[in-house]
Amino acid sequence: MRMDEEMRMLQLDKPGQGKSTTELQKHSIDEVFYEHKPVDRALFIVSKGDELQKLSVIGSLPELLKYDQKGTVSKIIPKIQQELPNSSSEFNLAVSRMFNILIHMDIPVNLVPQILQGIDNRDPMISNAWMETLLAVIPLLKEQIVKNDILKCAIAKSQLSKAAYFRVSSCKILGEISVHKTMNPFEVKKDVLPLVQSLCQDCFFEVRAAMCRELPNVAQGLFNLGDAIVKVNLLPLLVELSADENVNVRSIAIESMVSIIPFLSPDTIKGTIIPLAKKLCTRSASEGDTTYTAISSVFSMLINNLQPQMSTGDSMWFLDYFNHICRKGLSLVEDLDTDPAISMLCRENCANCLPKVVTMVLAQIPTEVSSKWYHTFKALAADPCYIVRRAVANRFSDIVRILGPSNKIVVIDFTKLLRDEDEEVLQALIPNVANIMELFTATNVLQREIPVQATLDIGRAMLKCQNEAFRTNNWRMKECLLMQWERLPNCFPSDFIHQHFSPVVLNATIYGKAKPVRSQAARTLLIILKYSLKENHRKWIREMIQTQLCNAPCCYSRQVYITLCTHAIDIFSWGYFKEYFYLPLLSLAEDQIAIVRLSMVKLCPILKQMLNLPADRALQLKLENILSKMEMMEADRDVIMMLKLKLKEMRTIRNIKSEVLVEDRRRADEEDRILKGRFAGIRIGPQIDSDLGRDTTDKQPTISVTKSAIPKQSSTSSSASKRAAAATVNHTPRKPFSK
């Protein structure tokens, strides 16, 4: 009784009342229109429907055009244009986005007048929406519309009698007109340039900033007339705007100056741009000036555009300035009045510029790599703000590749970043760990034959990184780290991997929480197994897989063993798989848990295809006996259905491609070479240029073995007898060294 009273006292949410009859009639369409064409129904909704129904019609215009373009253009679009002036904000926003789509579809109707009319709307949100639409469609408009309608609109809005936000709109329109494909340079000089010069001297800083941002487009439009036109007409404007009283205008002037450099001659760059850039950098170092943030955001592009014309002295000057802005916000004496967020943003921008800066230093002043540049890099890699360290971690792989033979100087910083306790820093670094280590290996910082000091340092840091990663709930980061460890055999000695990484990967395979993590751990463990040089190491891993997974009391671990077998089919030759994985996998057909049996049944066609008769007659009989027993004894409905499906598939004869047979022979030969201790020439994942330290593939690093269909027949591996004669001493690895 007490429970019933408590249930009655609960204030449960009651279902809301449905729509009234009046509301239902308002949102309904007469049955007569269901027999009409979609265009007629849409016209009725736009004319008589409510706001939500009209928005639905606007969203369906592309489909209506495909169904009946002529009817849509002649009926629906004119009606929408008629409704625009007195419609709501939502209606205007939806129509503006749809007009952008329709113009890109090149429909035979001029929508520009409505777009220009929408720009004049008093509501700033509506006006901005139509302005975005206009700027997006200007490149698609015809010459006559651009010169007669768009240019006239820009001229009218640039007048001083107009409000400031209209003149800002004019600046944006002029920038798009300048680079339009139908505008020749003479027309840009005649019609656009006078307006640009006037707007650059506007009394409102918002207008000056907007026009300054469009100067690179104007320079592109004038470029075909020669460098002198750009130099004479636009550089004075840039110089004046770079000294503007407003900091936003000065910041945008710096960005525009960098973007204009490609349209200037080498002599102009040497004589005008480089001195101007130095002047702006020097001014940004003065007290109270925050334009250094803008400089840091474009510093990479600035260096890239100026480098062909820079002297050694210029390179040294810019490197010194870079070192100066990399310390912004870290000095308690100099930066008392500086906003910490601005200083942090500056240092983050500097961290993103590191690859370009080191490229310049290596090309112009290589002697400064290990002194000035490295001290700056070291400070950024150990920055107190995790955002800066994250930016360094994102660029670390590029830096190591560019440094080439000199990349040993950043090994200690790599280990520090691996030991970082911030999750975002690790998340930025982990996807590039394998590439970085292989680049170190290409320059002999790491060696796959013998352990060196860098091997010990990076190994400890990797285990610390794994420990931190597995403390989080970010299973994707854990999976990514284990994926990077697939390529450890390319960088570390086999004994070192077995002693310190094999137990960790095995532990993740057995006790990992997320299924993708356990699956990737199983795959990484198989890679370590394949490329282990000692038989006692391989034997220990195989025994642990057998006891901890295949024979585990937990059904989830036995399920992981089946997943491991699917990876083993992709990694090992068929001979190796049949020798060590085939029979344990078949034993799971008698598992007590139905899902385990179901997963095993799914692999039966592959297991049959890899048999090579008459050598594998015993395995064939074992497989057939197990399947026959399952047909008679199986009680689970899902397993029975899957078994019937796979038995039917097994009876189907398939032609096996020759390249699949070749791939299996390659794997068998590779396993024989590893068995004999000849690891040279074998590598995992993409190839690295040993001279330049460059990754020759642009794809995400993956294991070199391919996931392909398993052929029906294959020769058994010649290494079977050698494996049987190998050492059988059970070897247990030492505990990993302290993290």
Side-chain angles (χ1 to χ4, degrees):
M1 291 295 295
R2 185 178 179 182
M3 182 177 293
D4 294 340
E5 292 176 0
E6 291 179 354
M7 291 296 293
R8 285 196 296 270
M9 292 174 64
L10 287 176
Q11 299 296 322
L12 299 177
D13 294 335
K14 296 181 180 180
Q17 295 181 353
K19 295 184 180 294
S20 64
T21 306
T22 305
E23 290 176 325
L24 289 173
Q25 291 176 352
K26 183 179 179 181
H27 289 84
S28 302
I29 303 176
D30 293 341
E31 295 182 359
V32 178
F33 286 95
Y34 284 102
E35 301 176 358
H36 291 195
K37 295 181 179 179
V39 173
D40 296 330
R41 291 201 301 270
L43 181 61
F44 174 78
I45 293 173
V46 173
S47 303
K48 304 294 183 180
D50 65 358
E51 188 75 10
L52 188 62
Q53 292 173 319
K54 293 179 181 179
L55 293 177
S56 176
V57 172
I58 293 171
S60 63
L61 279 178
E63 287 75 17
L64 290 173
L65 284 168
K66 293 179 182 178
Y67 179 79
D68 185 3
Q69 181 176 2
K70 184 177 179 181
T72 304
V73 169
S74 62
K75 297 179 181 179
I76 306 298
I77 294 179
K79 185 61 179 177
I80 292 175
Q81 292 171 327
Q82 181 182 349
E83 295 282 334
L84 268 177
N86 301 319
S87 58
S88 64
S89 300
E90 290 79 5
F91 190 86
N92 272 270
L93 295 177
V95 174
S96 66
R97 291 192 294 267
M98 187 51 60
F99 276 16
N100 184 5
I101 296 173
L102 296 181
I103 292 177
H104 278 80
M105 293 174 63
D106 195 21
I107 64 169
V109 59
N110 185 13
L111 302 175
V112 173
Q114 281 68 39
I115 296 176
L116 297 178
Q117 184 180 359
I119 294 174
D120 295 331
N121 198 293
R122 293 182 179 181
D123 188 335
M125 184 172 62
I126 296 176
S127 178
N128 290 335
W130 284 109
M131 175 56 65
E132 292 177 3
T133 299
L134 178 62
L135 296 177
V137 302
I138 284 178
L140 304 174
L141 300 179
K142 297 180 180 179
E143 178 181 3
Q144 184 179 1
I145 297 177
V146 172
K147 294 179 180 179
N148 294 342
D149 298 336
I150 309 300
L151 183 58
K152 287 182 179 179
C153 174
I155 294 173
K157 293 183 180 301
S158 66
Q159 304 303 314
L160 291 175
S161 58
K162 294 289 185 179
Y165 72 89
F166 282 125
R167 299 204 294 278
V168 171
S169 301
S170 176
C171 297
K172 297 177 181 179
I173 296 172
L174 289 173
E176 290 294 331
I177 291 175
S178 300
V179 294
H180 195 272
K181 58 185 178 182
T182 62
M183 293 290 290
N184 62 62
F186 294 101
E187 292 173 329
V188 175
K189 180 181 178 182
K190 175 186 174 183
D191 300 328
V192 177
L193 187 58
L195 297 175
V196 171
Q197 293 170 335
S198 173
L199 292 169
C200 283
Q201 298 173 348
D202 197 276
C203 56
F204 286 88
F205 78 89
E206 295 92 347
V207 181
R208 299 196 301 273
M211 194 66 256
C212 183
R213 195 182 298 276
E214 301 300 329
L215 287 181
N217 286 342
V218 179
Q220 182 180 345
L222 295 171
F223 181 61
N224 289 336
L225 292 179
D227 166 74
I229 298 295
V230 178
K231 178 180 179 181
V232 172
N233 293 283
L234 296 186
L235 281 188
L237 298 176
L238 267 179
V239 173
E240 182 179 355
L241 291 169
S242 64
D244 196 274
E245 60 183 9
N246 186 271
V247 65
N248 292 330
V249 178
R250 296 200 302 271
S251 299
I252 295 174
I254 292 170
E255 298 173 3
S256 296
M257 178 198 68
V258 175
S259 300
I260 264 179
I261 293 175
F263 306 110
L264 299 173
S265 66
D267 293 337
T268 303
I269 295 174
K270 288 181 181 179
T272 305
I273 297 299
I274 292 179
L276 176 60
K278 289 182 178 179
K279 181 180 178 180
L280 296 178
C281 292
T282 304
R283 183 183 298 164
S284 70
S286 60
E287 186 176 355
D289 195 311
T290 58
T291 54
Y292 58 83
T293 306
I295 295 176
S296 67
S297 66
V298 296
F299 195 81
S300 179
M301 189 186 303
L302 176 66
I303 293 299
N304 186 63
N305 291 341
L306 293 182
Q307 186 176 342
Q309 280 72 45
M310 282 198 304
S311 63
T312 303
D314 295 331
S315 300
M316 185 66 74
W317 193 94
F318 281 107
L319 179 60
D320 290 336
Y321 176 77
F322 182 73
N323 294 341
H324 170 72
I325 60 177
C326 285
R327 296 191 298 270
K328 282 291 182 180
L330 300 179
S331 174
L332 297 177
V333 178
E334 299 177 0
D335 304 312
L336 290 176
D337 299 329
T338 305
D339 186 353
I342 295 178
S343 300
M344 182 276 299
L345 179 60
C346 175
R347 300 199 305 276
E348 182 187 11
N349 292 335
C350 291
N352 289 322
C353 294
L354 282 170
K356 280 296 179 184
V357 175
V358 72
T359 301
M360 177 199 72
V361 173
L362 285 172
Q364 303 282 348
I365 42 176
T367 56
E368 301 296 331
V369 171
S370 58
S371 55
K372 286 188 176 182
W373 178 85
Y374 175 68
H375 290 311
T376 303
F377 169 81
K378 183 179 180 181
L380 291 173
D383 195 273
C385 180
Y386 78 93
I387 297 177
V388 181
R389 301 197 304 275
R390 181 184 63 189
V392 176
N394 270 321
R395 299 289 183 269
F396 207 98
S397 179
D398 295 331
I399 293 169
V400 174
R401 176 180 56 81
I402 294 169
L403 283 172
S406 302
N407 59 24
K408 61 183 179 181
I409 64 175
V410 299
V411 171
I412 188 171
D413 305 284
F414 179 56
T415 59
K416 288 181 179 178
L417 288 174
L418 282 173
R419 293 174 177 271
D420 201 292
E421 296 181 355
D422 191 274
E423 181 179 345
E424 293 195 27
V425 177
L426 296 180
Q427 196 166 0
L429 182 65
I430 285 174
N432 299 313
V433 162
N435 277 339
I436 294 170
M437 291 198 305
E438 288 185 350
L439 290 167
F440 284 145
T441 306
T443 55
N444 292 323
V445 174
L446 294 174
Q447 296 183 22
R448 62 195 295 185
E449 292 82 14
I450 56 173
V452 294
Q453 185 60 43
T455 304
L456 301 177
D457 295 339
I458 294 177
R460 292 189 181 98
M462 290 278 285
L463 293 173
K464 176 64 165 59
C465 176
Q466 181 270 338
N467 191 28
E468 291 294 332
F470 274 69
R471 284 181 181 178
T472 70
N473 295 323
N474 190 341
W475 65 265
R476 290 182 177 85
M477 183 168 66
K478 302 174 189 177
E479 181 188 22
C480 185
L481 178 62
L482 292 168
M483 190 180 301
Q484 299 299 304
W485 283 12
E486 286 186 8
R487 288 154 65 185
L488 285 177
N490 289 337
C491 311
F492 288 165
S494 174
D495 290 348
F496 185 82
I497 295 173
H498 180 73
Q499 292 170 1
H500 303 296
F501 289 91
S502 296
V504 177
V505 178
L506 179 63
N507 187 69
T509 307
I510 299 171
Y511 301 110
K513 294 181 179 179
K515 287 184 179 180
V517 175
R518 299 185 74 176
S519 174
Q520 182 57 50
R523 182 176 177 86
T524 303
L525 186 63
L526 291 176
I527 296 295
I528 295 175
L529 168 63
K530 179 173 183 177
Y531 294 98
S532 294
L533 295 181
K534 294 184 178 179
E535 177 59 28
N536 56 348
H537 294 171
R538 297 192 290 266
K539 185 173 184 290
W540 181 85
I541 295 175
R542 290 194 298 264
E543 288 180 352
M544 295 303 293
I545 290 173
Q546 177 76 18
T547 57
Q548 299 294 328
L549 294 177
C550 184
N551 299 331
C554 177
C555 66
Y556 295 109
S557 295
R558 299 196 297 274
Q559 183 76 14
V560 171
Y561 180 80
I562 298 177
T563 303
L564 181 143
C565 287
T566 61
H567 293 311
I569 293 171
D570 298 330
I571 295 171
F572 294 100
S573 65
W574 306 316
Y576 194 100
F577 183 88
K578 288 182 288 187
E579 186 174 353
Y580 296 112
F581 298 100
Y582 201 96
L583 291 178
L585 179 61
L586 289 182
S587 67
L588 295 179
E590 300 176 350
D591 197 273
Q592 296 178 355
I593 306 301
I595 189 64
V596 178
R597 301 195 301 274
L598 179 67
S599 300
M600 185 272 159
V601 169
K602 291 180 181 179
L603 297 180
C604 286
I606 300 176
L607 297 180
K608 181 182 179 181
Q609 288 177 355
M610 67 172 59
L611 296 178
N612 181 30
L613 300 178
D616 296 327
R617 177 68 66 184
L619 294 179
Q620 184 190 34
L621 293 175
K622 182 72 173 177
L623 177 62
E624 292 176 353
N625 291 337
I626 286 177
L627 294 178
S628 299
K629 185 177 180 180
M630 290 187 72
E631 280 188 290
M632 294 185 294
M633 306 290 293
E634 184 58 54
D636 187 84
R637 182 177 59 183
D638 294 333
V639 178
I640 293 173
M641 292 177 61
M642 182 58 66
L643 180 62
K644 291 180 179 179
L645 180 64
K646 293 303 176 180
L647 287 174
K648 182 179 179 181
E649 182 179 342
M650 292 169 67
R651 297 187 188 101
T652 305
I653 299 176
R654 296 182 180 180
N655 295 325
I656 305 304
K657 296 181 180 180
S658 59
E659 55 265 24
V660 180
L661 296 171
V662 172
E663 172 63 20
D664 182 68
R665 284 195 292 270
R666 185 197 67 79
R667 294 180 189 176
D669 293 341
E670 188 177 69
E671 291 161 5
D672 286 339
R673 291 172 60 190
I674 294 172
L675 184 64
K676 296 175 182 178
R678 294 183 299 176
F679 198 55
I682 299 175
R683 56 178 306 108
I684 308 166
Q687 299 295 317
I688 301 292
D689 190 329
S690 59
D691 296 329
L692 301 178
R694 295 175 183 173
D695 191 345
T696 56
T697 63
D698 296 329
K699 299 180 179 179
Q700 180 71 17
T702 54
I703 208 73
S704 62
V705 290
T706 57
K707 295 184 177 182
S708 56
I710 304 300
K712 184 176 182 180
Q713 292 183 344
S714 166
S715 60
T716 56
S717 174
S718 61
S719 61
S721 59
K722 297 178 182 179
R723 296 191 190 101
T728 58
V729 178
N730 188 5
H731 174 73
T732 303
R734 298 198 308 263
K735 294 182 179 180
F737 41 60
S738 174
K739 303 180 182 65

